[in-house]
Amino acid sequence: MLRNYLKIALRNLKKFKVYSVINIAGLAAGMACFILIFLYVQDELSFDRYHKNAGQIFRIIIEGNIQGRTGRAAKSPAPMAPYLIHGYPEVQNAVRFLVPSSNVQVGYKEKKFNEGRFMYADQSVFDIFTFPLLHGDPRTALQEPFSIVITEEAARKYFGEEDPLGKILTVNNQR
């Protein structure tokens, strides 16, 4: 029975070549679009979902109109975080990030590197986000002024096989 269906299908493909190519191409294009849209939506819905309280984390975006052009940026004034915490009971906690406008020079002893992915953050960053730490305690990680949290890759780059806890890095030859 299945053999007969395959014979008929192959005969029709040979007999109506243009029609068959159009149908197969349409089916392939439709499936490709579906797969791409599905992957995009899945990526958007799973963004940062690995954090414990991902459903309660929100980001403030400022939208402005400059000379007729609308723009968006994930920036807000520094006093906004304390204002939101004290002014709105729904807001349980807030964290501020500051990304320097240029590369930052970070060094340990003679090793100095320009880091493009450097940012300052409030100590509440680990109360909101659940980033795993290899060493140290997330509750006390950024409590001291000028304390720093680095990635495993950065620890290897600056300290090699030494334990990075308690070591001092200089940032822009100042801190």
Side-chain angles (χ1 to χ4, degrees), residues 106-126:
V106 180
Y108 175 68
K109 295 183 180 176
E110 294 81 36
K111 295 180 184 177
K112 294 187 188 302
F113 298 96
N114 286 325
E115 299 290 348
R117 296 175 49 195
F118 187 92
M119 64 177 62
Y120 299 94
D122 291 330
Q123 66 184 27
S124 61
V125 68
F126 293 111

Side-chain angles (χ1 to χ4, degrees), residues 11-45:
R11 285 181 192 160
N12 282 331
L13 286 173
K14 287 180 183 177
K15 188 174 182 181
F16 304 107
K17 291 178 184 172
V18 175
Y19 183 70
S20 298
V21 168
I22 290 172
N23 279 338
I24 292 171
L27 179 64
M31 289 175 64
C33 288
F34 170 78
I35 290 170
L36 289 175
I37 291 170
F38 174 76
L39 290 174
Y40 175 77
V41 169
Q42 184 182 23
D43 180 59
E44 287 296 314
L45 293 178

Side-chain angles (χ1 to χ4, degrees), residues 129-151:
F129 299 105
T130 52
F131 294 112
L133 298 182
L134 294 178
H135 302 288
D137 185 4
R139 291 173 296 203
T140 60
L142 296 174
Q143 286 185 344
E144 295 295 320
F146 307 114
S147 56
I148 190 168
V149 175
I150 58 175
T151 63

